[in-house]
Amino acid sequence: MSVPSAAALLDRQPAEPTGRRRLEILEEAEGNPLALVELSRRTPTPARVGLPGAGPAQWPPTANVFGRRLDALPPETGRALLYAAAAGPGETVAALMAALDTDDLAVWAPAEAAGLVALVEDRLVFRHPLVRSAALLRRPAGERHRAHLDLARVGTQPEVRARHLAAATVGPSEPVAAALEDSAWRRGDAVSAARALEQAARLSPQRRERARRLAEALVAAHAVGDPGWVRDLYGRFVQVTTDPERACVATGALASALPQESSQQEAFEVLADMSAHLPAVGRPFALALAALAAGIAAQSGLPDHKAALSTLLDRAREADPRRPPVTGPLGRLDTPDAQKALEALVTTVVQPAAAARLLPRLGRSRRAWLDAPDEPACRMAIASVAYHADEADVCLGQFRKADAHLRTSRAFGIRAWSVLALLDTLVNTGRFTRPTP
């Protein structure tokens, strides 16, 4: 089942899952209709089992059928399936065998004979997503803890080791939190990064480090485009610190997510309230916040929003241009081209007629724009200026290149900012029916 079809099936459930829970179900179900239905009924999620406050897993009848088949397996095979389920999709059989401390492939034979798993080249494949869930969650917490420690021991990728160490850690641990943070963006995936940074904040012993990691988690979560997740993280953030610099980062993430709930007024107000602190975050991020305010003002169409943009831009220009931004790998803001593009975007929203004058200053030629480095923030800013300048080819070219990067990064929230201008340009140029990458 395709992702759109799977999402539509979740929409028809009695208790429609939303937010993080929805993403987890879509990933865990792997497009299987039965798994989508059953997982939407089960609480809590696998990621929460074993954590403080997470109670026992509640299983629907179908999952219990798989559980009984698992219970009939020899103990050593049940243990091997626990390790395979804890490892997650994609782990090699060699790594699983190393974690199990055995080289006897016969350990998998009973599960293969029962039709629960299959060995495909160097991977072990669960024949049904609910088998994976049952293999993990029906085992005692102590066994799951041991499995994650063993998998961390043999892991070769930093993000994999960090994930398993975190799963085996209940109390605060700075080394584990630091490992999660350092590897969070290693795969360039906003969803995985937000989860890792949120967990890193949970495991941070010091309030200062917890606040910093919560702010970084907010940046990743706003890129994902889940307003509920962002609000949850922001609520925890404000309980930890009032530091102006971190508050600017956290508020910017909140303001970016609010328009998805049609709360442009609230989004602009929170940005205006923290505008006095813009110089504290450095010019690259301050300009990004000013550009965010410009995007909100363009959506709301309110005169007082547009009138306040000049002040926001002036305050952003006062910030230190050498201070690095907190943005993750979704786009470098500390380059001269990116900062010039962000300034042009704000100016264009205030004075749309200036777009035609500003656009040529953002590149030597259309070819130079289209061959610019993959910096989504810069590309989207140029595309927005090109949209106001009625330069359709530049607008579409920049939006499409930025969108390809953001789609790969699962940055659904950032992609949403380009939808209206992109659709309007496609319609106006007669290209709406053409497939887009």
Side-chain angles (χ1 to χ4, degrees):
M1 178 178 285
S2 66
V3 174
S5 297
L9 179 57
L10 288 183
D11 290 341
R12 296 196 295 271
Q13 299 310 302
E16 176 189 347
T18 59
R20 279 172 286 181
R21 177 64 178 139
R22 185 182 184 88
L23 290 174
E24 290 170 355
I25 290 174
L26 288 170
E27 288 181 356
E28 190 176 351
E30 299 175 352
N32 184 285
L34 177 61
L36 288 163
V37 173
E38 297 287 26
L39 290 173
S40 68
R41 301 174 184 174
R42 192 193 69 202
T43 58
T45 66
R48 294 294 305 164
V49 172
L51 297 183
Q58 297 177 6
W59 289 91
T62 307
N64 284 325
V65 170
F66 287 118
R68 287 193 291 272
R69 293 170 63 184
L70 288 166
D71 292 343
L73 298 173
E76 61 273 15
T77 301
R79 175 172 174 264
L81 292 180
L82 164 62
Y83 278 57
E91 189 57 87
T92 64
V93 173
L96 294 175
M97 302 302 288
L100 289 165
D101 197 24
T102 181
D103 58 2
D104 186 4
L105 289 173
V107 71
W108 307 107
E112 288 185 280
L116 298 174
V117 299
L119 285 173
V120 181
E121 296 180 349
D122 64 340
R123 296 290 190 275
L124 182 114
V125 178
F126 284 90
R127 291 190 176 275
H128 198 286
L130 292 178
V131 175
R132 178 187 297 278
S133 296
L136 177 65
L137 299 183
R138 289 176 67 86
R139 309 294 293 194
E143 293 184 20
R144 296 198 302 268
H145 179 269
R146 182 72 260 169
H148 283 297
L149 287 178
D150 288 339
L151 289 163
R153 171 175 52 82
V154 302
T156 59
Q157 297 175 318
E159 68 273 20
V160 173
R161 290 197 301 271
R163 176 171 63 84
H164 287 302
L165 287 173
T169 303
V170 177
S173 172
E174 178 56 30
V176 177
L180 282 168
E181 179 184 8
D182 292 343
S183 63
W185 284 105
R186 194 167 182 269
R187 294 185 178 180
D189 180 279
V191 177
S192 299
R195 290 172 180 164
L197 290 166
E198 179 182 18
Q199 197 164 21
R202 180 182 66 83
L203 296 174
S204 300
Q206 303 296 325
R207 290 175 64 90
R208 179 183 179 87
E209 293 302 299
R210 193 181 314 136
R212 181 176 61 78
R213 287 163 180 154
L214 276 172
E216 293 176 359
L218 274 158
V219 172
H222 104 271
V224 173
D226 185 341
W229 195 354
V230 171
R231 283 186 181 274
D232 178 40
L233 289 171
Y234 187 79
R236 281 184 267 168
F237 172 84
V238 296
Q239 294 177 0
V240 176
T241 185
T242 57
D243 175 73
E245 179 179 359
R246 300 296 171 201
C248 282
V249 175
T251 301
L254 177 64
S256 179
L258 288 174
Q260 296 173 51
E261 301 177 325
S262 299
S263 300
Q264 283 82 5
Q265 183 74 46
E266 181 184 357
F268 199 91
E269 287 175 357
V270 297
L271 283 177
D273 289 344
M274 51 71 68
S275 63
H277 302 298
L278 280 182
V281 297
R283 188 176 300 172
F285 197 73
L287 286 172
L289 293 178
L292 171 60
I296 296 169
Q299 286 187 2
S300 72
L302 296 176
D304 56 326
H305 285 179
K306 291 188 177 182
L309 290 178
S310 297
T311 301
L312 285 171
L313 184 56
D314 289 341
R315 289 175 175 172
R317 287 168 173 162
E318 295 172 3
D320 185 354
R322 297 165 296 180
R323 194 180 187 95
V326 184
T327 60
L330 296 180
R332 292 187 58 196
L333 302 178
D334 54 349
T335 65
D337 288 342
Q339 294 180 47
K340 190 186 301 183
L342 293 171
E343 287 193 52
L345 170 58
V346 180
T347 302
T348 295
V349 174
V350 178
Q351 302 174 353
R357 170 175 53 85
L358 293 172
L359 185 61
R361 302 179 186 179
L362 304 182
R364 294 186 301 275
S365 65
R366 293 184 181 181
R367 184 70 185 176
W369 289 322
L370 295 175
D371 290 341
D374 275 330
E375 298 173 0
C378 183
R379 286 192 182 279
M380 292 182 71
I382 294 174
S384 297
V385 176
Y387 172 71
H388 287 283
D390 201 22
E391 287 281 357
D393 289 341
V394 175
C395 175
L396 292 177
Q398 293 294 309
F399 271 145
R400 283 171 169 166
K401 283 181 174 287
D403 191 68
H405 188 113
L406 296 173
R407 186 188 303 116
T408 301
S409 302
R410 294 203 290 176
F412 314 116
I414 297 179
R415 290 181 70 197
W417 287 96
S418 65
V419 170
L420 292 179
L422 177 59
L423 291 179
D424 190 45
T425 303
L426 289 171
V427 170
N428 290 338
T429 58
R431 307 179 195 179
F432 184 73
T433 58
R434 296 184 186 180
T436 57

